[in-house]
Short mmCIF file of all heavy atoms in Angstrom, two decimals:
data_model
loop_
_atom_site.label_atom_id
_atom_site.label_comp_id
_atom_site.label_asym_id
_atom_site.label_seq_id
_atom_site.Cartn_x
_atom_site.Cartn_y
_atom_site.Cartn_z
N PHE A 15 0.86 -1.27 0.03
CA PHE A 15 -0.03 0.05 0.00
C PHE A 15 0.90 1.21 -0.01
O PHE A 15 1.79 1.41 0.82
CB PHE A 15 -0.84 0.03 1.27
CG PHE A 15 -1.96 -0.94 1.29
CD1 PHE A 15 -2.01 -1.97 2.30
CD2 PHE A 15 -3.01 -0.94 0.35
CE1 PHE A 15 -3.00 -2.97 2.35
CE2 PHE A 15 -3.98 -1.93 0.50
CZ PHE A 15 -3.98 -2.96 1.38
N ILE A 16 0.62 2.11 -0.94
CA ILE A 16 1.26 3.48 -0.87
C ILE A 16 0.24 4.36 -0.32
O ILE A 16 -0.82 4.68 -0.84
CB ILE A 16 1.56 3.96 -2.33
CG1 ILE A 16 2.51 2.94 -3.08
CG2 ILE A 16 2.34 5.29 -2.26
CD1 ILE A 16 2.67 3.17 -4.53
N ILE A 17 0.56 5.02 0.91
CA ILE A 17 -0.31 5.90 1.56
C ILE A 17 0.51 7.12 2.09
O ILE A 17 1.66 7.25 1.89
CB ILE A 17 -1.00 5.16 2.73
CG1 ILE A 17 0.01 4.72 3.83
CG2 ILE A 17 -1.83 3.96 2.31
CD1 ILE A 17 -0.59 4.19 5.08
N ARG A 18 -0.30 8.06 2.69
CA ARG A 18 0.31 9.15 3.34
C ARG A 18 0.31 8.82 4.90
O ARG A 18 -0.58 8.18 5.40
CB ARG A 18 -0.53 10.49 3.13
CG ARG A 18 -0.66 10.79 1.63
CD ARG A 18 -1.21 12.24 1.56
NE ARG A 18 -2.41 12.43 2.28
CZ ARG A 18 -3.70 12.05 1.83
NH1 ARG A 18 -3.83 11.43 0.67
NH2 ARG A 18 -4.72 12.34 2.62
N ARG A 19 1.32 9.30 5.61
CA ARG A 19 1.37 8.98 7.04
C ARG A 19 0.17 9.66 7.76
O ARG A 19 -0.21 9.08 8.79
CB ARG A 19 2.69 9.62 7.61
CG ARG A 19 3.90 8.79 7.10
CD ARG A 19 5.15 9.09 7.98
NE ARG A 19 6.29 8.39 7.39
CZ ARG A 19 6.67 7.16 7.71
NH1 ARG A 19 5.85 6.45 8.51
NH2 ARG A 19 7.73 6.59 7.12
N SER A 20 -0.35 10.63 7.19
CA SER A 20 -1.53 11.30 7.87
C SER A 20 -2.77 10.49 7.86
O SER A 20 -3.66 10.74 8.69
CB SER A 20 -1.79 12.67 7.20
OG SER A 20 -2.21 12.55 5.84
N ILE A 21 -2.85 9.46 6.98
CA ILE A 21 -4.10 8.61 7.02
C ILE A 21 -3.69 7.21 7.47
O ILE A 21 -4.50 6.26 7.46
CB ILE A 21 -4.70 8.52 5.64
CG1 ILE A 21 -3.82 7.87 4.62
CG2 ILE A 21 -5.16 9.95 5.13
CD1 ILE A 21 -4.57 7.60 3.26
N GLU A 22 -2.50 6.90 7.98
CA GLU A 22 -1.98 5.57 8.30
C GLU A 22 -2.89 4.94 9.24
O GLU A 22 -3.34 3.75 8.98
CB GLU A 22 -0.60 5.61 8.77
CG GLU A 22 -0.07 4.22 9.15
CD GLU A 22 1.47 4.35 9.51
OE1 GLU A 22 1.97 5.46 9.82
OE2 GLU A 22 2.07 3.30 9.59
N ARG A 23 -3.22 5.60 10.39
CA ARG A 23 -4.01 4.83 11.40
C ARG A 23 -5.37 4.46 10.85
O ARG A 23 -5.79 3.33 11.01
CB ARG A 23 -4.15 5.74 12.62
CG ARG A 23 -4.95 5.13 13.71
CD ARG A 23 -4.98 5.99 14.99
NE ARG A 23 -5.89 5.44 16.07
CZ ARG A 23 -6.01 6.04 17.18
NH1 ARG A 23 -5.51 7.21 17.48
NH2 ARG A 23 -6.85 5.47 18.14
N GLU A 24 -6.02 5.51 10.29
CA GLU A 24 -7.43 5.24 9.70
C GLU A 24 -7.37 4.13 8.57
O GLU A 24 -8.25 3.21 8.54
CB GLU A 24 -8.05 6.42 9.20
CG GLU A 24 -9.54 6.26 8.71
CD GLU A 24 -10.05 7.57 8.27
OE1 GLU A 24 -9.45 8.59 8.36
OE2 GLU A 24 -11.27 7.53 7.86
N PHE A 25 -6.24 4.13 7.88
CA PHE A 25 -6.20 3.22 6.64
C PHE A 25 -6.01 1.78 7.22
O PHE A 25 -6.66 0.84 6.73
CB PHE A 25 -5.04 3.56 5.84
CG PHE A 25 -4.94 2.83 4.51
CD1 PHE A 25 -5.53 3.37 3.41
CD2 PHE A 25 -4.31 1.64 4.40
CE1 PHE A 25 -5.48 2.66 2.17
CE2 PHE A 25 -4.32 0.93 3.21
CZ PHE A 25 -4.85 1.42 2.06
N LYS A 26 -5.21 1.60 8.18
CA LYS A 26 -4.91 0.35 8.73
C LYS A 26 -6.13 -0.16 9.36
O LYS A 26 -6.52 -1.47 9.28
CB LYS A 26 -3.70 0.37 9.68
CG LYS A 26 -2.34 0.44 9.01
CD LYS A 26 -1.20 0.46 9.96
CE LYS A 26 0.11 0.54 9.23
NZ LYS A 26 1.32 0.48 10.18
N GLU A 27 -6.79 0.67 10.20
CA GLU A 27 -8.06 0.21 10.91
C GLU A 27 -9.11 -0.27 9.93
O GLU A 27 -9.99 -1.10 10.15
CB GLU A 27 -8.46 1.30 11.79
CG GLU A 27 -7.69 1.54 13.03
CD GLU A 27 -8.01 2.68 13.91
OE1 GLU A 27 -8.97 3.41 13.45
OE2 GLU A 27 -7.51 2.83 14.99
N THR A 28 -9.23 0.61 8.78
CA THR A 28 -10.36 0.34 7.72
C THR A 28 -10.10 -0.79 6.83
O THR A 28 -10.97 -1.48 6.53
CB THR A 28 -10.48 1.65 7.01
OG1 THR A 28 -10.70 2.84 7.85
CG2 THR A 28 -11.72 1.60 6.09
N ILE A 29 -8.86 -0.99 6.49
CA ILE A 29 -8.66 -2.04 5.53
C ILE A 29 -7.29 -2.81 5.69
O ILE A 29 -7.31 -4.00 5.59
CB ILE A 29 -8.62 -1.60 4.03
CG1 ILE A 29 -8.38 -2.78 3.04
CG2 ILE A 29 -7.69 -0.41 3.82
CD1 ILE A 29 -8.75 -2.48 1.62
N GLY A 30 -6.25 -2.15 6.02
CA GLY A 30 -4.87 -2.74 6.06
C GLY A 30 -4.82 -3.88 7.03
O GLY A 30 -4.24 -5.07 6.67
N ASP A 31 -5.29 -3.87 8.21
CA ASP A 31 -5.18 -4.83 9.12
C ASP A 31 -6.06 -6.08 8.67
O ASP A 31 -5.68 -7.25 8.92
CB ASP A 31 -5.75 -4.43 10.53
CG ASP A 31 -4.76 -3.47 11.18
OD1 ASP A 31 -3.60 -3.27 10.74
OD2 ASP A 31 -5.15 -2.77 12.16
N ARG A 32 -7.16 -5.83 8.04
CA ARG A 32 -7.95 -6.91 7.56
C ARG A 32 -7.23 -7.68 6.46
O ARG A 32 -7.25 -8.93 6.34
CB ARG A 32 -9.29 -6.37 7.01
CG ARG A 32 -10.20 -7.50 6.42
CD ARG A 32 -11.59 -6.86 6.18
NE ARG A 32 -11.70 -5.99 5.05
CZ ARG A 32 -11.77 -4.66 5.16
NH1 ARG A 32 -11.95 -4.10 6.37
NH2 ARG A 32 -11.93 -3.83 4.09
N ILE A 33 -6.52 -6.98 5.51
CA ILE A 33 -5.83 -7.62 4.45
C ILE A 33 -4.63 -8.30 4.97
O ILE A 33 -4.28 -9.46 4.42
CB ILE A 33 -5.51 -6.67 3.31
CG1 ILE A 33 -6.75 -5.94 2.83
CG2 ILE A 33 -4.63 -7.28 2.19
CD1 ILE A 33 -7.78 -6.86 2.23
N ALA A 34 -4.05 -7.88 6.09
CA ALA A 34 -2.82 -8.47 6.56
C ALA A 34 -3.17 -9.91 7.09
O ALA A 34 -2.23 -10.75 7.31
CB ALA A 34 -2.20 -7.71 7.74
N ALA A 35 -4.45 -10.12 7.34
CA ALA A 35 -4.85 -11.48 7.85
C ALA A 35 -4.90 -12.50 6.75
O ALA A 35 -4.92 -13.73 6.93
CB ALA A 35 -6.21 -11.42 8.56
N VAL A 36 -4.97 -12.02 5.45
CA VAL A 36 -5.02 -13.03 4.37
C VAL A 36 -3.86 -13.04 3.39
O VAL A 36 -3.73 -13.82 2.46
CB VAL A 36 -6.38 -12.80 3.56
CG1 VAL A 36 -7.56 -13.01 4.50
CG2 VAL A 36 -6.38 -11.38 3.07
N ALA A 37 -2.98 -12.00 3.56
CA ALA A 37 -1.74 -11.94 2.59
C ALA A 37 -0.76 -11.00 3.24
O ALA A 37 -1.00 -10.22 4.11
CB ALA A 37 -2.27 -11.22 1.32
N PRO A 38 0.51 -11.22 2.87
CA PRO A 38 1.65 -10.31 3.37
C PRO A 38 1.37 -8.99 2.96
O PRO A 38 1.00 -8.72 1.64
CB PRO A 38 2.88 -10.94 2.74
CG PRO A 38 2.53 -12.43 2.39
CD PRO A 38 1.06 -12.37 2.08
N VAL A 39 1.50 -8.03 3.81
CA VAL A 39 1.23 -6.59 3.53
C VAL A 39 2.46 -5.72 3.89
O VAL A 39 3.00 -5.96 4.98
CB VAL A 39 -0.01 -6.15 4.28
CG1 VAL A 39 -0.19 -4.52 4.13
CG2 VAL A 39 -1.22 -6.76 3.69
N GLU A 40 2.85 -4.80 3.06
CA GLU A 40 3.79 -3.80 3.47
C GLU A 40 3.30 -2.33 3.06
O GLU A 40 2.42 -2.29 2.19
CB GLU A 40 5.13 -4.08 2.68
CG GLU A 40 5.77 -5.28 3.14
CD GLU A 40 7.23 -5.36 2.76
OE1 GLU A 40 8.05 -4.51 3.24
OE2 GLU A 40 7.68 -6.31 2.09
N TYR A 41 3.86 -1.47 3.74
CA TYR A 41 3.42 0.05 3.54
C TYR A 41 4.61 0.83 3.23
O TYR A 41 5.74 0.67 3.59
CB TYR A 41 2.83 0.65 4.84
CG TYR A 41 1.51 0.01 5.26
CD1 TYR A 41 1.56 -1.06 6.03
CD2 TYR A 41 0.28 0.60 4.79
CE1 TYR A 41 0.28 -1.66 6.47
CE2 TYR A 41 -0.84 0.03 5.22
CZ TYR A 41 -0.90 -1.11 6.01
OH TYR A 41 -2.02 -1.64 6.42
N VAL A 42 4.37 1.68 2.19
CA VAL A 42 5.35 2.77 1.87
C VAL A 42 4.58 4.08 1.84
O VAL A 42 3.38 4.20 1.78
CB VAL A 42 6.08 2.50 0.50
CG1 VAL A 42 6.92 1.28 0.49
CG2 VAL A 42 4.99 2.46 -0.61
N TYR A 43 5.42 5.21 2.03
CA TYR A 43 4.73 6.46 2.32
C TYR A 43 5.20 7.51 1.22
O TYR A 43 6.43 7.65 1.07
CB TYR A 43 5.15 6.96 3.71
CG TYR A 43 4.72 5.89 4.69
CD1 TYR A 43 5.63 4.96 5.16
CD2 TYR A 43 3.41 5.83 5.29
CE1 TYR A 43 5.30 3.95 6.02
CE2 TYR A 43 3.12 4.82 6.14
CZ TYR A 43 4.10 3.90 6.60
OH TYR A 43 3.63 2.95 7.49
N GLN A 44 4.22 8.05 0.57
CA GLN A 44 4.40 9.15 -0.44
C GLN A 44 4.21 10.46 0.31
O GLN A 44 3.15 10.85 0.66
CB GLN A 44 3.49 9.06 -1.59
CG GLN A 44 3.78 10.05 -2.65
CD GLN A 44 2.91 9.91 -3.92
OE1 GLN A 44 1.77 9.38 -3.77
NE2 GLN A 44 3.24 10.53 -4.96
N GLU A 45 5.38 11.17 0.52
CA GLU A 45 5.25 12.44 1.12
C GLU A 45 5.95 13.49 0.27
O GLU A 45 6.82 13.31 -0.47
CB GLU A 45 5.99 12.26 2.45
CG GLU A 45 5.43 11.28 3.50
CD GLU A 45 4.01 11.54 3.92
OE1 GLU A 45 3.54 12.70 3.82
OE2 GLU A 45 3.30 10.62 4.47
N LEU A 46 5.60 14.79 0.56
CA LEU A 46 6.09 15.81 -0.19
C LEU A 46 7.53 16.07 0.03
O LEU A 46 8.26 16.58 -0.84
CB LEU A 46 5.34 17.19 0.19
CG LEU A 46 3.94 17.21 -0.29
CD1 LEU A 46 3.31 18.61 0.19
CD2 LEU A 46 3.74 17.17 -1.86
N ASP A 47 8.09 15.73 1.17
CA ASP A 47 9.49 16.01 1.44
C ASP A 47 10.38 14.82 1.12
O ASP A 47 11.57 14.83 1.37
CB ASP A 47 9.65 16.38 3.02
CG ASP A 47 9.15 15.23 3.96
OD1 ASP A 47 8.65 14.28 3.41
OD2 ASP A 47 9.28 15.50 5.08
N ASP A 48 9.86 13.81 0.49
CA ASP A 48 10.61 12.62 0.17
C ASP A 48 11.24 12.85 -1.26
O ASP A 48 10.76 12.32 -2.23
CB ASP A 48 9.75 11.31 0.15
CG ASP A 48 10.58 10.05 -0.16
OD1 ASP A 48 11.86 10.14 -0.06
OD2 ASP A 48 9.94 9.02 -0.22
N LEU A 49 12.23 13.71 -1.31
CA LEU A 49 12.85 14.02 -2.52
C LEU A 49 14.44 13.65 -2.45
O LEU A 49 15.04 13.71 -1.38
CB LEU A 49 12.72 15.47 -2.85
CG LEU A 49 11.28 16.09 -2.94
CD1 LEU A 49 11.25 17.52 -3.21
CD2 LEU A 49 10.54 15.28 -4.13
N PRO A 50 14.94 13.38 -3.60
CA PRO A 50 16.45 13.14 -3.57
C PRO A 50 17.23 14.37 -3.41
O PRO A 50 16.65 15.49 -3.82
CB PRO A 50 16.64 12.44 -4.99
CG PRO A 50 15.61 13.05 -5.92
CD PRO A 50 14.41 13.14 -4.92
N ALA A 51 18.36 14.24 -2.80
CA ALA A 51 19.24 15.49 -2.66
C ALA A 51 19.62 15.91 -4.05
O ALA A 51 19.83 15.13 -4.98
CB ALA A 51 20.49 15.01 -1.84
N PRO A 52 19.79 17.22 -4.30
CA PRO A 52 19.72 18.32 -3.22
C PRO A 52 18.39 18.99 -3.20
O PRO A 52 18.28 20.18 -2.84
CB PRO A 52 20.80 19.23 -3.85
CG PRO A 52 20.59 19.10 -5.38
CD PRO A 52 20.33 17.71 -5.59
N TYR A 53 17.33 18.39 -3.80
CA TYR A 53 16.00 19.00 -3.88
C TYR A 53 15.28 18.98 -2.59
O TYR A 53 15.42 18.18 -1.70
CB TYR A 53 15.20 18.24 -4.98
CG TYR A 53 15.95 18.09 -6.32
CD1 TYR A 53 16.57 16.92 -6.58
CD2 TYR A 53 16.08 19.15 -7.15
CE1 TYR A 53 17.24 16.73 -7.75
CE2 TYR A 53 16.74 19.03 -8.40
CZ TYR A 53 17.32 17.84 -8.63
OH TYR A 53 17.95 17.66 -9.84
N SER A 54 14.47 20.07 -2.41
CA SER A 54 13.48 20.20 -1.32
C SER A 54 12.20 20.76 -1.77
O SER A 54 12.15 21.59 -2.65
CB SER A 54 14.11 21.04 -0.14
OG SER A 54 14.42 22.35 -0.63
N ALA A 55 11.08 20.35 -1.09
CA ALA A 55 9.78 20.76 -1.49
C ALA A 55 9.56 22.28 -1.23
O ALA A 55 9.90 22.80 -0.19
CB ALA A 55 8.84 19.91 -0.93
N PRO A 56 8.87 22.92 -2.28
CA PRO A 56 8.55 24.38 -1.96
C PRO A 56 7.52 24.37 -0.82
O PRO A 56 6.72 23.52 -0.61
CB PRO A 56 7.88 24.80 -3.29
CG PRO A 56 8.38 23.84 -4.29
CD PRO A 56 8.63 22.48 -3.65
N ALA A 57 7.61 25.51 -0.07
CA ALA A 57 6.72 25.60 1.20
C ALA A 57 5.28 25.66 0.82
O ALA A 57 4.46 25.28 1.58
CB ALA A 57 7.18 26.89 1.89
N ASP A 58 4.97 26.10 -0.50
CA ASP A 58 3.51 26.18 -0.81
C ASP A 58 2.99 24.98 -1.59
O ASP A 58 1.86 24.98 -2.02
CB ASP A 58 3.23 27.45 -1.61
CG ASP A 58 4.08 27.50 -2.92
OD1 ASP A 58 4.90 26.63 -3.10
OD2 ASP A 58 3.80 28.30 -3.69
N ARG A 59 3.82 23.91 -1.71
CA ARG A 59 3.36 22.72 -2.38
C ARG A 59 2.36 21.92 -1.50
O ARG A 59 2.59 21.69 -0.35
CB ARG A 59 4.54 21.78 -2.74
CG ARG A 59 4.21 20.52 -3.43
CD ARG A 59 4.02 20.73 -4.93
NE ARG A 59 3.60 19.45 -5.49
CZ ARG A 59 3.63 19.29 -6.87
NH1 ARG A 59 4.03 20.19 -7.62
NH2 ARG A 59 3.14 18.08 -7.36
N ALA A 60 1.23 21.56 -2.12
CA ALA A 60 0.15 20.92 -1.41
C ALA A 60 -0.11 19.44 -1.97
O ALA A 60 -0.33 18.56 -1.24
CB ALA A 60 -1.17 21.70 -1.39
#
């Protein structure tokens, strides 16, 4: 699952934990500040 950390708890409670009972599950997080060096996200990026 590719999710945002801001929805992690609700996502796991709503679906992730249920799927983990029937198949291997991993999470990765898509965030605005996850950029390779030397780049950084503009302050107004939403």
Side-chain angles (χ1 to χ4, degrees):
F15 291 115
I16 305 171
I17 62 172
R18 305 188 308 276
R19 291 192 184 277
S20 62
I21 67 170
E22 180 175 14
R23 179 176 177 180
E24 184 178 0
F25 191 93
K26 288 182 176 180
E27 290 176 350
T28 305
I29 182 168
D31 292 344
R32 180 169 69 253
I33 300 305
V36 297
V39 168
E40 294 199 56
Y41 292 88
V42 295
Y43 304 92
Q44 184 181 18
E45 302 292 345
L46 290 177
D47 59 359
D48 187 7
L49 299 178
Y53 306 101
S54 58
D58 60 350
R59 178 82 186 195

